[in-house]
Every structure is written in structure tokens, then in C-alpha cells.
Amino acid sequence: MTTIHLADWLNARIDRAREEPVYRQLLEAMQQAILTGQLASGAKLPSSRMLAADISVARNTVLHVYEQLTAEGYVTSTTGSGTYVADTAPNDRAAVRKPQEPADETPRKPCLISKRGARLIAHAGVAPKQWGAFMPGVPDVAEFPSRTWSRLQSRLWKRASPDLLTYAPGGGYRPLRRALSDYLRVARSVKCTPDQIIITTGIHQSIDLAVRLLTDSGDRAWVEEPCYWGVRSVLQASGLTLVPVPVDEEGLNPSARDMAAPPRIALVTPSHQYPLGMVMSLARRRALLEFARQHGVWIIEDDYDSEFRYRSRPLSSLQGLDDAGQVIYVGSLGKMMFPGLRMGYMVVPENLVDTFRTGVAELYREGQLMQQAVMTEFILDGHLTSHVRRMRGLYDERRQLLIDAIGAHFGETLAVRGDEAGLHFVLELPGNASDRAITDDALASGVVTRPLTHYYMNQEDARRGLMLGYACVPNAEIAPAFAKLAGVIERALSAVEAGS
Amino acid sequence: MTTIHLADWLNARIDRAREEPVYRQLLEAMQQAILTGQLASGAKLPSSRMLAADISVARNTVLHVYEQLTAEGYVTSTTGSGTYVADTAPNDRAAVRKPQEPADETPRKPCLISKRGARLIAHAGVAPKQWGAFMPGVPDVAEFPSRTWSRLQSRLWKRASPDLLTYAPGGGYRPLRRALSDYLRVARSVKCTPDQIIITTGIHQSIDLAVRLLTDSGDRAWVEEPCYWGVRSVLQASGLTLVPVPVDEEGLNPSARDMAAPPRIALVTPSHQYPLGMVMSLARRRALLEFARQHGVWIIEDDYDSEFRYRSRPLSSLQGLDDAGQVIYVGSLGKMMFPGLRMGYMVVPENLVDTFRTGVAELYREGQLMQQAVMTEFILDGHLTSHVRRMRGLYDERRQLLIDAIGAHFGETLAVRGDEAGLHFVLELPGNASDRAITDDALASGVVTRPLTHYYMNQEDARRGLMLGYACVPNAEIAPAFAKLAGVIERALSAVEAGS
């Protein structure tokens, strides 16, 4: 391309009516000319003065474009001798290839997602809708004392120190760790010092960290059957082989065959089995601890929502019974506060404190110390306790309203289970009903629920049921929303009966 | 234990002078009595009325303790017949074992951290100190316009909607994605729609997500030699085999042997090689893209700090040259804002948008939409642009002050490299100097630096140097802090000379 041709070519591409600055348009046009080979490598560019005159832009603009092209490696400049198109082609064929035009003549290998990625996506449990009747596991964030939180936040930001704005070097904000250790000691009989607390972004990150530090790819992990889908995804993403261990009324109930092949790690929800809701009996707790002690098994105690227990105080933790330092206790502030907060904690055995503090900083490069400082004030000023107390009363009402609504529609025919604690319970369905089909139909009617079978790894043994979250549903909406759901259930059950 | 003995035993353990409520002390004492076998399984507890009288506490307190013991499975109650200690022992031996006393007679397998965990900790790069002269990679958070941020934050919290307080269903806050796609299109020639933007907590999470979705354990990953330690840790935690590929003045420079074994994924820092600072040449960019296209290689473009380029505008991205949809572009807001913010973004190819949105929600259960909304306002009101512009000027001054201080102490004997952009540069040392020893001695003198060799996988080929971050050091502290460091360097170099 000669200088004249270059000027024509550029003039055809620069449109002063466009919002984009001329500088940018000229830069992109020059890049295109070089990338497509229309300005061949080695070609000398016109002087900035000459080009500026030819295309009627300020000389400074051309100078800036030339500088940027130099910085980005499109051209090379030698003082006194001029500016030349750099040799940029990876090979001859590619050099003449126009952008957007696939170079069919060169072999191309498709770029694919991985096996573990495909499995993760195929089994993803995350719901497209995260709010409304009867989304399980979500607290009523509309009741969160936003003004109190905002006030504390403003106060702390007024004296934001650099230390709180940079990375958290490991473990999190010390006063928050102290406040949490006090809370957990009293409320949950967790045995810990502030040092043993590691602040995380929630239960997913806590489990991910424990798995990456304590297990290797290919290790066996016991998970409760049924269990929370998120735990399965996190474990599988780290290459663990999941062994589903059934639960009965006393919680985790490993068979002799399970016990014969001890896992590297076992995940349990002793205070409130997720999703079924039973409490692990003391006998099972002690048996599990003894088994773990004998076989070097790590136990992760997931205590995700036990602040909301309606007929007794929160239960003592499994961690408090552990003398061997094998229990990692994980909890979340999201359900007491609001899920978007993304704040949780783990309690690790004393001899692992350094390992976990280094691990969390190395893998996730944590920060959010300002938010942790606000959280600390919120706890120390007593707001957390009073908010949780108020929510416990409110959720208890909603729980009862939903149970009443179920009774009004179905009498004794459909049982409710796991309603002693938490933010949801399970509405049991007959074994021949499809809880997945009902969930899909319900969503079409504007009601969110999750099928119980979705929480099982082995579908053949799965109980049928619907997970009903009541915590985030305003009292007045519970009966009408359940009426819609009841219609869907009735139609499904009569279709099953007609078909059988 | 008879009733009288139980009362004595409890009286000995309840201390009304302690801060802990009597309820809690009584509960713990009863749990201990049961756990240690002093109250044997099957034993009948005294009636609440009798025990209350014997130990002089309110009967209601005893009733609450019995209820809690029932809920936690320590005792069972039958109406009319009384309360009995439950059968809780996992086996006879454990039942009589006292807490804290190791049961030496049962075999015990030690509980260990895993191979991958041990390797992560052994190679951890995270520094104990994250602030001060000359910590690399940290912006000056003291200059962050906290009041503006706090004002926007307060305004948004006044109208906090439930949607912004719950989980982020995938990808992040839509208006932020739109603002970022506009910014990246103009400033970095990134080709993307708002849909292609995925908000993450930063570069660690972006890379972790890409690796878990796009690679399998055992796959090969090219990393630049040298490179950021955090990238290595994240890749290794997911089981990848790292292949260090040397960089030269034009960036990544794979050998014929490297090219003969294409990796599954390649991580590059084309705009500002980390840590050495060169720009990947256009020829290398095109060669890498062509190689990736032919062999189905994913490329992760880590563009961690190119907003701070001192002699030209930010460079165009590699992603903008990619016609095949194989580049994942990752960036961070932490260095423009403040690292504790934990906010970053990735740009994924159009056909992977759903995969990444589902993946991020499934693996990390993201939230923080309120913070993302504040960030959006901060961008749309122009604060980000003006803050970055101001910081670029300030960092440029500090860069020059540090270069001047180096010149004053060492003249031309020690070279500076990679100072065209970013928040740090490298001070080169002679090949026989120990940059690690100098770093340790400097820390003892109160000066933070990082040894260049730490960023290499192969130590034998590693260049010696010190990573010097100037961005977070107030102008007036630069010369005095460098004087201390210069003393350490001079002593080390003269020791090397004396020894050679």
C-alpha cells in the first residue's frame, strides 16, 4: 500500500460523526491494516506530518497513534530513519489471513471444556431463581436491619485505615475471630481460641480449603445421603471419590462395608441434617469420632443453620466432643445476616492453624477486612443476637403457617419432616410421585421448590419430597403460594393414581 | 452415682461467682458426667424438683437443662416414667475413657494433611507483611477516596433491595458487567458484550474457575518463567502439571520441545509480564494464538495492572486479536481501587457464557451484589477514571523517586527493569548474589521486598533481583527506606566479592 493508498484507506474508515474519538478510530484502522497484511511487514510508514495532512487530523494525534503502535509492537521506530511495520506474522499463511475468516487450510483442534468441568455443569444444583416462596435456605433479607448495618459501615469508613483496605494476611480480622470464638464457645460448646478461627467467604470456601489441604485427588469422601448439592460439587471439583452414606433417624449410619473402607474425610451435618432435618444422636457422634480416631479420618462438621432451632436452644457441636483434633467445624454468617454478605468461618484444630491461615491467603488472597470490622461491631453491639432472636420468632410463625396450610389442603396424607430447626422442611410425597416434575410445574406457576431426589446420589433409593423454604416468605403470602403449589401436587398425585 | 453423689459432684462444679450462667455450668457438668461414664447409660436421673432442691438452683433451670440434654441425645425422657441416661457409648472401651486421656489401647492412625496440601504450604508465596516500603503489587490505599465510596455506599444501602442482599445467581450485577464491558472495549480493545463478563472475587478465583472448567487433573499448563506465585499455587491445587516456559524481551518464548507437547492451557501476562515487566510482541501474540488454534489450547490472559502504564496508553489485549474464542481474559479492580475489595472480572468466549455463569455460582455461591452496585456507581460517576488518573501520576512520581534513590546509591552498577508500567519494578542483582538472603536481612531492617528467584520454578536459571513496589510508599519515605535497603544490599554484595 502506498502512502496515498494508505491515506485513502484510512479516510474511508474514519468517521467523525461517530462517538468514538478519532485517535481510537485511527489506531484501530492502522492495527487492522497491519494485522490483515495490507501494510506488509517491513513497510515504511509515512511521516506523522505527512499522514496528518493527508487525512486531516492533528499531527499530535498521529504521533500518539504511532507511539501506541510502537508500544504494542505493531511498528518499530528508529530515530532519524523512520517508522516501519514490524514483522508480526506467526507464519506466512496466517499473515495473509483476514480477521474473521477461518483459516480452513490449517488443521484446527477444537477447544473443549474438561471432563470435570462438564460433570460440574451437568450436575449443577444452583437454581436460576434465588428468592420467593418457597426457596429453601434463604433468610428474609427484607427484615435485615439495613439501617443499623449502614450506620456502622459509615462510621467505620470514616476512619478506614490502610490495614483494613489491603489483603487479609490470613485468617481474617482478629477482633471478629475473638467475637466468634466467644459466641461459638457459649452457644455451641465449640472448644476454640480466637486463633483457631479462620474467616472465609462461606461454607463453600471453607470446605474447598479443607479439601485442598487435607485430601488428595482420588481420596474417598463420605457424604451423607441425601446431602447438599454444593458440597458434592466442591468435593468433586477437587477430584474426590464420593461415597454416599445413608442417614436414618439418628443421622449418619455407615454400613459394615462402609466402615471396612475408611474414607480420608467425612462431611456431616450433625445438628440439623441437610436436607432431612434430623439430629445426629450422641451415640452416633461418639461412634463416628472413635472411628475417625482409629482410621485417621478428617471430619467436617457443617453447622449451616442451627441458630434457628425452634423448640430448644442450639445444640452442642460434634467438635466439642472431639479430643483428637480431627474435626473441622464450618459455619456461615449468611443465614443469620444476609447471604450476599459472603462471610463464614471455620474452626480448625490448634496444630493446623498455621496451615489453614497460610492456605487461605495463598489460594484465595482474601481481603474484605472492612466488612469484617463492620460485622464485629454488629456482634459486639448486640445486634446479631437480637436480630437472630427476632428472626427465630418470625420464622417459627411462618413455619407454623406453612404447616397449617399443608394441613388444610392435605390433612394427614402428606407428612412434614425436619421442621424442628432451620429455614426449610421437607414435605414428603408418595414413592411413586415425581418430585422433579412437580418442581418444574410449580416453577411454571411461579412457586419455587426443590425436589428431594435432587439431593441424593443414588436415585433408586431416594425418597420423594419437596424442600419448602418458609423463612423468606412474608406471612400473608404463605397460604396463597401454597394453594398454587397444592394444586400442582394434587394434579400430579391424581395423575399417578390414575396411571397406577 | 447416686442422687446424693450426683448433687455433690454438681455442686463441686458449679461456681456462682463465674461469669458463665448457672444454666450453662449445670448443662456442661451433666454432659461431662454422662460422657465420662460417671452417670452410666440407663441410669435414672433425679426428678427436676429434687435435683433443683439439692443443688439450690431454680427448678426451671434444671428443666431447661434436661430439655437440652434430651434434644442433644444425652438422655431420653418418657412421660410419667422419668429421664434416663441414653446409651451413647460407641463401644465399651471408649465409654469409660475420660476426656483428654488418650485411649492408648485402641490403635490410632494419625490424621495428616495431604500431599497437595503439604506442597501448597511448602511453596506458599504469600508474605506475612502486606504493606509498607517496598511491598510489590499493592496500591496506595491511603489515597483511595474513601469518603466518596462511603457516600455511594450509604446511598445504596438506603434503598437496599432483597435482590441485592441474597446470592448472585451467576455472573454478577448486570449494570456492572455493562460498565466493565464498555470500559474494556475502549481501553483495552477487548471484544465483548456485557454477557461475556463474569464478576469474580479477583484473579485467583477467575483462574481457579477457568482451570476447574477447562482442564482436568494431570493436564499440562504453560506458565511463564518467571511468573506470579499465586497462579502456580492455584494451578497446582487443581492437579495441573506446570511447564515453565521462559520469557525473553518479547515475552513468552516456547522452545521447539515445548511446542511439540501442546498444553491444555497457557497462562500469560502479555501487557506487562509479571514480574519482569516486558510487553509480549505482536509477533509472539499472533504465534501463540495460531499455536493455540491448531492444538486446542486455552489461553488465560492475566491483565492484572496495565491501567498503570506511564509512557503510553494501556495496551490492546491479546483477547482482542483472538478470532477463535480461545482466550479467557482476567482482570482485577483491586489494584485500581483497594485490594481488600476483592473484586475482579473475567471475559469468556460467547459460547462459554452459560458454563461460566453456572460454574461460578455452583462452586463459590457468590453474593456481594451490594458492593458491586456501589462499584457500578463509582464507575458511572467517573470516580474510577479520575482516581486512576490521579494515581498514575502519583505512582509515576514515586517510581522516579525510587529510580533516583537507586541511582544515588549504585550509579549504573545495578539496573532497573520493567518500570514502564505497574506498581513495582525489578532491581537486578549480580548472578552470584542471594536475593533471598538480602530479602530476609531487609525485612529485619524493616524493609519489605521479594526475591526475584522466588518467582522461578527452576532455580538454576533464575535471574537474581529484588521486586520493589513503590506505589504504596509515601514520597517522603522512599529515599530513607531505600537507604536502609541499600545498606543491606551493599553488605551482601561486598560479602560476595570478598568470598569470590
Side-chain angles (χ1 to χ4, degrees):
Chain A
M1 211 187 295
T2 66
T3 305
I4 287 302
H5 286 147
L6 175 64
D8 289 348
W9 198 82
L10 293 172
N11 269 323
R13 272 154 189 82
I14 292 173
D15 176 0
R16 284 171 178 74
R18 272 171 64 198
E19 201 187 330
E20 216 175 349
V22 169
Y23 161 81
R24 184 105 221 127
Q25 293 187 44
L26 178 58
L27 176 64
E28 280 174 10
M30 294 287 290
Q31 288 171 335
Q32 278 306 310
I34 295 168
L35 287 172
T36 55
Q38 296 183 60
L39 270 173
S41 65
K44 185 173 183 180
L45 294 192
S47 75
S48 55
R49 190 185 310 270
M50 198 188 302
L51 185 62
D54 283 344
I55 61 175
S56 310
V57 301
R59 187 179 164 215
N60 252 343
T61 304
V62 177
L63 275 175
H64 280 140
V65 166
Y66 278 23
E67 273 169 24
Q68 187 72 10
L69 289 172
T70 309
E72 296 189 359
Y74 285 79
V75 301
T76 52
S77 309
T78 326
T79 316
S81 120
T83 304
Y84 295 86
V85 175
D87 175 18
T88 66
N91 60 43
D92 289 340
R93 239 178 320 208
V96 296
R97 188 164 65 86
K98 292 199 177 52
Q100 316 307 334
E101 179 194 298
D104 285 329
E105 63 279 31
T106 56
R108 173 168 179 189
K109 204 177 148 193
C111 219
L112 302 169
I113 80 166
S114 61
K115 287 193 283 291
R116 64 180 166 199
R119 188 179 51 194
L120 179 77
I121 299 305
H123 293 102
V126 67
K129 208 180 155 188
Q130 298 281 337
W131 184 248
F134 293 101
M135 177 72 197
V138 177
D140 191 348
V141 296
E143 294 287 335
F144 179 72
S146 301
R147 290 179 59 180
T148 304
W149 179 259
S150 181
R151 183 168 46 77
L152 296 174
Q153 194 167 242
S154 301
R155 204 167 72 198
L156 280 160
W157 269 95
K158 281 213 182 73
R159 43 185 172 95
S161 78
D163 279 356
L164 297 183
L165 295 183
T166 190
Y167 299 109
Y173 187 59
R174 175 112 196 138
L176 178 59
R177 297 161 76 196
R178 199 178 309 122
L180 286 173
S181 72
D182 288 345
Y183 169 75
L184 292 173
R185 247 196 334 264
V186 172
R188 319 306 282 276
S189 307
V190 168
K191 293 187 292 200
C192 68
T193 62
D195 274 342
Q196 290 174 260
I197 307 260
I198 308 283
I199 310 292
T200 66
T201 59
I203 284 179
H204 277 237
Q205 191 183 74
S206 297
I207 294 180
D208 191 51
L209 178 62
V211 161
R212 288 174 154 200
L213 290 174
L214 304 179
T215 73
D216 285 305
S217 189
D219 281 349
R220 264 190 310 281
W222 279 5
V223 292
E224 294 171 324
E225 172 83 330
C227 80
Y228 171 49
W229 52 263
V231 162
R232 288 206 301 259
S233 289
V234 169
L235 298 180
Q236 283 177 329
S238 278
L240 297 195
T241 302
L242 301 198
V243 180
V245 176
V247 296
D248 64 11
E249 288 313 306
E250 289 190 64
L252 194 77
N253 187 22
S255 66
R257 220 177 62 185
D258 291 329
M259 312 264 287
R264 181 73 176 253
I265 198 164
L267 281 96
V268 287
T269 50
S271 291
H272 187 222
Q273 203 278 331
Y274 195 87
L276 295 175
M278 67 282 281
V279 174
M280 188 188 277
S281 73
L282 190 59
R284 290 277 174 80
R285 287 173 190 235
R286 300 185 78 187
L288 179 61
L289 288 170
E290 182 60 22
F291 174 75
R293 204 180 62 82
Q294 285 175 21
H295 300 284
V297 180
W298 292 107
I299 297 172
I300 297 187
E301 175 176 18
D302 178 358
D303 200 8
Y304 59 99
D305 71 357
S306 328
E307 281 73 19
F308 300 104
R309 177 155 287 277
Y310 301 110
R311 295 177 225 212
S312 69
R313 303 187 188 216
L315 304 182
S316 299
S317 64
L318 182 66
Q319 194 267 7
L321 294 175
D322 170 33
D323 301 324
Q326 298 188 207
V327 175
I328 316 286
Y329 175 93
V330 306
S332 166
L333 287 160
K335 295 194 195 301
M336 290 193 266
M337 300 284 292
F338 55 96
L341 179 70
R342 306 318 298 139
M343 204 186 289
Y345 45 85
M346 57 201 308
V347 181
V348 303
E350 261 179 80
N351 61 332
L352 289 186
V353 167
D354 288 344
T355 299
F356 274 78
R357 288 185 68 174
T358 304
V360 72
E362 183 79 11
L363 280 176
Y364 315 105
R365 210 78 175 99
E366 283 309 308
Q368 292 287 9
L369 292 175
M370 278 303 289
Q371 186 176 266
Q372 292 176 22
V374 180
M375 187 71 228
T376 310
E377 298 285 305
F378 195 83
I379 293 175
L380 296 181
D381 288 0
H383 301 300
L384 182 65
T385 310
S386 63
H387 178 58
V388 167
R389 191 186 306 120
R390 197 166 75 82
M391 288 302 101
R392 195 186 292 120
L394 182 65
Y395 298 163
D396 196 11
E397 271 173 52
R398 293 179 176 176
R399 186 180 64 92
Q400 197 55 55
L401 286 171
L402 183 53
I403 290 175
D404 293 347
I406 292 168
H409 280 274
F410 295 104
E412 304 279 299
T413 54
L414 296 185
V416 161
R417 64 178 298 149
D419 66 318
E420 299 82 9
L423 309 178
H424 79 278
F425 56 64
V426 173
L427 178 63
E428 294 190 311
L429 293 174
N432 53 2
S434 165
D435 51 10
R436 289 175 192 247
I438 292 175
T439 300
D440 291 344
D441 290 351
L443 193 60
S445 313
V447 179
V448 182
T449 174
R450 309 297 299 273
L452 184 56
T453 51
H454 183 67
Y455 297 78
Y456 284 82
M457 290 185 71
N458 296 326
Q459 290 299 307
E460 54 276 26
D461 303 329
R463 298 192 202 197
R464 264 63 173 171
L466 299 177
M467 302 276 289
L468 299 180
Y470 44 81
C472 67
V473 193
N475 295 16
E477 288 176 25
I478 290 180
F482 188 76
K484 278 191 218 166
L485 180 59
V488 173
I489 296 172
E490 275 157 9
R491 279 193 297 280
L493 296 188
S494 45
V496 165
E497 255 171 55
S500 65
Chain B
M1 211 188 291
T2 66
T3 304
I4 288 301
H5 287 146
L6 175 62
D8 289 348
W9 198 83
L10 293 172
N11 269 322
R13 273 154 188 83
I14 293 173
D15 177 359
R16 284 171 177 75
R18 272 170 63 198
E19 202 187 330
E20 213 176 352
V22 171
Y23 161 81
R24 186 100 221 131
Q25 295 187 43
L26 179 58
L27 176 65
E28 279 175 8
M30 294 286 290
Q31 289 171 336
Q32 277 306 308
I34 294 168
L35 286 173
T36 55
Q38 296 183 60
L39 270 174
S41 67
K44 187 175 181 178
L45 294 192
S47 74
S48 55
R49 190 184 309 270
M50 197 187 301
L51 185 62
D54 285 346
I55 61 174
S56 309
V57 303
R59 189 184 162 208
N60 251 344
T61 304
V62 178
L63 274 174
H64 280 141
V65 166
Y66 279 24
E67 272 168 25
Q68 188 73 10
L69 289 172
T70 308
E72 296 189 359
Y74 284 80
V75 301
T76 53
S77 308
T78 327
T79 318
S81 117
T83 304
Y84 295 86
V85 175
D87 175 20
T88 66
N91 61 43
D92 288 340
R93 241 180 316 208
V96 295
R97 189 164 64 84
K98 292 198 177 52
Q100 315 309 332
E101 179 192 299
D104 285 328
E105 63 278 32
T106 56
R108 173 167 180 188
K109 205 179 149 192
C111 221
L112 302 170
I113 79 166
S114 60
K115 287 193 282 291
R116 64 179 164 199
R119 187 179 51 193
L120 179 76
I121 300 303
H123 293 103
V126 67
K129 207 178 157 192
Q130 298 283 336
W131 184 248
F134 294 100
M135 176 72 198
V138 177
D140 191 348
V141 296
E143 294 288 334
F144 180 70
S146 300
R147 290 178 60 178
T148 304
W149 180 259
S150 182
R151 182 168 47 75
L152 296 173
Q153 195 166 242
S154 302
R155 203 167 74 197
L156 279 161
W157 269 95
K158 281 213 181 71
R159 45 184 170 94
S161 77
D163 279 357
L164 296 183
L165 295 182
T166 191
Y167 299 108
Y173 186 59
R174 176 106 197 143
L176 179 58
R177 298 160 75 196
R178 200 178 310 122
L180 286 173
S181 72
D182 288 345
Y183 168 74
L184 293 172
R185 248 197 332 266
V186 173
R188 319 305 281 275
S189 306
V190 169
K191 292 187 291 201
C192 68
T193 63
D195 274 342
Q196 289 174 262
I197 307 260
I198 308 283
I199 309 292
T200 67
T201 60
I203 283 179
H204 277 237
Q205 191 183 74
S206 297
I207 293 179
D208 191 51
L209 178 62
V211 161
R212 287 173 156 203
L213 290 174
L214 304 180
T215 73
D216 285 305
S217 189
D219 281 348
R220 262 189 311 280
W222 278 7
V223 292
E224 293 171 325
E225 172 84 330
C227 80
Y228 172 49
W229 51 265
V231 162
R232 288 206 300 259
S233 288
V234 169
L235 298 180
Q236 283 178 328
S238 278
L240 296 195
T241 302
L242 302 198
V243 180
V245 176
V247 296
D248 64 11
E249 289 313 307
E250 290 191 62
L252 194 78
N253 187 22
S255 66
R257 220 176 63 184
D258 292 329
M259 311 266 287
R264 180 73 177 253
I265 197 163
L267 281 95
V268 288
T269 50
S271 291
H272 187 222
Q273 204 277 331
Y274 195 86
L276 296 176
M278 67 281 282
V279 173
M280 188 187 279
S281 72
L282 189 60
R284 289 278 174 82
R285 289 174 189 234
R286 300 184 78 186
L288 179 61
L289 288 170
E290 181 62 20
F291 175 74
R293 204 180 63 83
Q294 284 176 20
H295 299 284
V297 179
W298 292 107
I299 297 172
I300 297 188
E301 175 177 18
D302 178 357
D303 200 9
Y304 58 98
D305 72 357
S306 330
E307 281 74 18
F308 300 105
R309 178 156 286 278
Y310 303 109
R311 294 177 226 211
S312 69
R313 304 191 186 212
L315 305 183
S316 299
S317 64
L318 183 64
Q319 194 267 6
L321 293 176
D322 169 34
D323 302 324
Q326 297 188 208
V327 175
I328 316 285
Y329 176 93
V330 306
S332 165
L333 287 160
K335 295 194 195 300
M336 288 192 268
M337 300 282 293
F338 55 96
L341 178 71
R342 305 318 297 140
M343 205 185 289
Y345 46 84
M346 56 202 306
V347 181
V348 303
E350 260 180 83
N351 61 333
L352 288 185
V353 167
D354 288 344
T355 298
F356 274 77
R357 289 185 67 173
T358 303
V360 73
E362 183 79 11
L363 280 176
Y364 315 105
R365 209 83 174 95
E366 283 308 309
Q368 292 287 10
L369 292 176
M370 279 301 289
Q371 187 175 266
Q372 292 176 22
V374 180
M375 187 71 229
T376 310
E377 299 286 305
F378 195 84
I379 294 175
L380 296 182
D381 288 1
H383 301 300
L384 182 65
T385 310
S386 64
H387 178 57
V388 168
R389 190 184 307 120
R390 196 166 75 85
M391 289 302 102
R392 195 185 293 120
L394 183 64
Y395 298 163
D396 196 11
E397 269 173 54
R398 293 179 176 175
R399 187 180 63 91
Q400 197 54 54
L401 285 171
L402 183 52
I403 289 175
D404 293 347
I406 293 168
H409 280 273
F410 296 103
E412 304 278 299
T413 55
L414 297 183
V416 161
R417 62 178 296 151
D419 67 317
E420 299 80 10
L423 311 178
H424 78 278
F425 56 65
V426 173
L427 178 62
E428 294 191 310
L429 293 174
N432 53 0
S434 165
D435 51 9
R436 289 176 192 247
I438 292 175
T439 300
D440 291 344
D441 291 349
L443 192 61
S445 314
V447 179
V448 183
T449 173
R450 309 296 300 272
L452 184 57
T453 51
H454 183 67
Y455 298 78
Y456 283 82
M457 290 183 71
N458 296 326
Q459 290 299 307
E460 54 276 26
D461 303 329
R463 298 192 202 197
R464 265 64 172 168
L466 299 176
M467 301 276 288
L468 299 180
Y470 44 81
C472 67
V473 194
N475 294 16
E477 288 176 26
I478 289 179
F482 188 76
K484 278 190 217 166
L485 181 59
V488 173
I489 296 172
E490 275 157 8
R491 280 193 297 280
L493 295 189
S494 46
V496 165
E497 255 172 55
S500 66

